[in-house]
């Protein structure tokens, strides 16, 4: 398996700095974020990655497809805007040659990430999931035309209200099945799925639909801002090796992307973070010989 640095793990690094850091540390792949790519410039980002000989293991992120569940004209316009933005994300992923576009599908309509539930926000969870399916029917063919795989990411249930109404790998997988595997796959992110009693069954069921394998640890207790509860592998509660073995057995041959949201990690020297990441990958994530 191949190690990739997700750019958000070293949040202070621009695209240029992340690419340079990967080269200096002997990594062959990088996972990029749309915001940083836009800041660097798409064409310049492509040039940097290609001249460094790196793979783009993923582009984060598309999604946030559920706002169409708002009533009336507001919902119609929100759905159209979401589709337009995701088509742009697909185009960016195609230009970068990314292995997949990670899709964080969105929470309840009207609920914004990390903010209190506003008046008029929807509580229709089933309807929000229907909006995701409707959007996927529009976006999957376009992604196929552009040679991009959409990677549906199930997020831990604590993020269901505001970030992802898909909470299990099985839910994400079921949503992907109507489409060719080269168009729609799933993400196995250890932080989000480690707790699921059906995890190993659904990894096996996913097979070659696994489009991305992302790793980081689940810290206990979680910090006040639960978004920052991701830790370096070995610092939390996850037993990585059985999950890695299951992903390998399912036929996954792509990169293993380390994606960490953590204030202390972000404040640390990025080169030290990458060095620790490499050591923990070898010592904690990979199966024993």
């Amino acid at each position: 398996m191949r190690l990739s640095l997700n750019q958000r793990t070293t949040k202070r690094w621009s695209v240029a700095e992340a690419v340079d850091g990967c080269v200096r540390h002997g990594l062959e792949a990088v996972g990029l974020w749309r915001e940083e790519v836009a800041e660097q410039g798409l064409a310049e980002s492509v040039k940097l990655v290609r001249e460094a000989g790196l793979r783009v293991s993923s582009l984060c992120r598309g999604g946030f497809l559920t706002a169409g569940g708002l009533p009336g004209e507001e919902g119609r316009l929100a759905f159209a805007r979401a589709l337009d933005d995701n088509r742009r994300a697909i185009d960016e992923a195609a230009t970068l040659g990314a292995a997949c576009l990670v899709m964080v599908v969105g929470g309840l309509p009207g609920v914004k990430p990390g903010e209190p539930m506003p008046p008029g926000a929807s509580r229709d969870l089933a309807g929000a999931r229907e909006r995701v399916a409707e959007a996927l029917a529009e976006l999957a063919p376009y992604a196929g035309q552009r040679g991009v795989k959409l990677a549906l990411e199930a997020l831990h249930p604590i993020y269901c209200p505001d970030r992802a109404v898909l909470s299990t790998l099985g839910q994400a997988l079921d949503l992907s099945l109507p489409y060719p595997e080269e168009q729609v796959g799933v993400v196995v992110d250890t932080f989000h799925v480690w707790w699921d009693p059906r995890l190993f069954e659904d990894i096996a069921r996913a097979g070659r639909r696994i489009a991305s394998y992302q790793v980081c640890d689940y810290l206990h207790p979680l910090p006040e801002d639960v978004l920052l509860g991701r830790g370096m592998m070995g610092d939390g509660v996850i037993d990585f090796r059985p999950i890695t073995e299951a992903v390998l057995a399912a036929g996954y041959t792509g990169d293993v992307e380390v994606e960490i949201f953590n204030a202390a990690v972000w404040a640390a020297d990025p080169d030290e973070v990458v060095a620790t990441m490499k050591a923990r990958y070898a010592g904690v994530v990979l199966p024993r010989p």
Side-chain angles (χ1 to χ4, degrees):
M1 301 185 75
R2 305 177 295 182
L3 180 60
S4 174
L5 170 69
N6 184 288
Q7 190 177 8
R8 200 47 57 95
T9 300
T10 52
K11 189 179 180 183
R12 287 189 282 154
W13 274 352
S14 66
V15 171
E17 290 168 327
V19 167
D20 181 65
C22 286
V23 172
R24 285 188 287 103
H25 287 273
L27 304 181
E28 297 180 356
V30 63
L32 298 177
W33 279 70
R34 293 182 69 198
E35 296 88 341
E36 283 76 10
V37 168
E39 185 174 338
Q40 187 76 54
L42 179 59
E44 178 65 15
S45 297
V46 170
K47 180 181 178 183
L48 288 166
V49 168
R50 290 181 178 169
E51 289 182 350
L54 297 180
R55 299 181 297 273
V56 178
S57 54
S58 74
L59 179 65
C60 293
R61 60 194 176 191
F64 289 91
L65 305 168
T66 56
L70 293 170
E73 184 71 1
E74 184 181 7
R76 188 189 69 79
L77 291 174
F79 191 64
R81 286 193 296 269
L83 292 178
D84 286 345
D85 183 62
N86 276 274
R87 292 189 188 100
R88 286 192 295 271
I90 290 166
D91 291 342
E92 292 162 17
T95 302
L96 287 162
C100 64
L101 174 65
V102 174
M103 303 289 286
V104 176
V105 297
L108 293 172
V111 180
K112 295 182 180 180
E115 297 183 11
M117 189 161 179
S122 172
R123 290 177 169 83
D124 183 4
L125 179 57
R129 289 172 176 152
E130 289 174 6
R131 301 295 84 73
V132 176
E134 291 171 3
L136 198 59
E138 295 282 342
L139 294 172
Y142 184 77
Q145 293 168 10
R146 301 291 282 123
V148 171
K149 180 178 284 191
L150 305 179
L152 300 175
E153 183 169 19
L155 268 58
H156 192 283
I158 56 176
Y159 303 112
C160 188
D162 60 356
R163 285 186 169 84
V165 295
L166 298 181
S167 300
T168 69
L169 180 61
Q171 286 177 317
L173 178 59
D174 289 344
L175 199 58
S176 76
L177 291 178
Y179 305 98
E181 65 179 35
E182 63 270 17
Q183 288 184 12
V184 185
V186 296
V187 181
V188 177
D189 184 318
T190 56
F191 177 86
H192 294 301
V193 301
W194 72 274
W195 58 274
D196 186 351
R198 293 177 56 91
L199 175 60
F200 294 99
E201 176 183 339
D202 284 329
I203 287 174
R205 191 163 66 97
R208 296 187 65 83
R209 281 191 186 268
I210 299 175
S212 177
Y213 180 36
Q214 295 182 334
V215 296
C216 70
D217 221 328
Y218 188 101
L219 300 180
H220 182 77
L222 288 171
E224 182 177 356
D225 184 349
V226 295
L227 185 66
L228 306 184
R230 294 168 171 256
M232 187 64 70
M233 299 80 70
D235 287 350
V237 301
I238 298 176
D239 186 5
F240 288 92
R241 285 196 174 98
I243 301 174
T244 300
E245 289 168 354
V247 168
L248 282 171
Y252 182 71
T253 58
D255 295 301
V256 184
E257 198 174 276
V258 177
E259 183 188 53
I260 300 174
F261 292 61
N262 182 290
V265 170
W266 289 345
D269 183 313
D271 283 294
E272 293 181 4
V273 170
V274 176
T276 302
M277 181 186 91
K278 290 175 61 179
R280 299 290 183 87
Y281 169 75
V284 177
V285 176
L286 288 180
R288 292 187 178 90

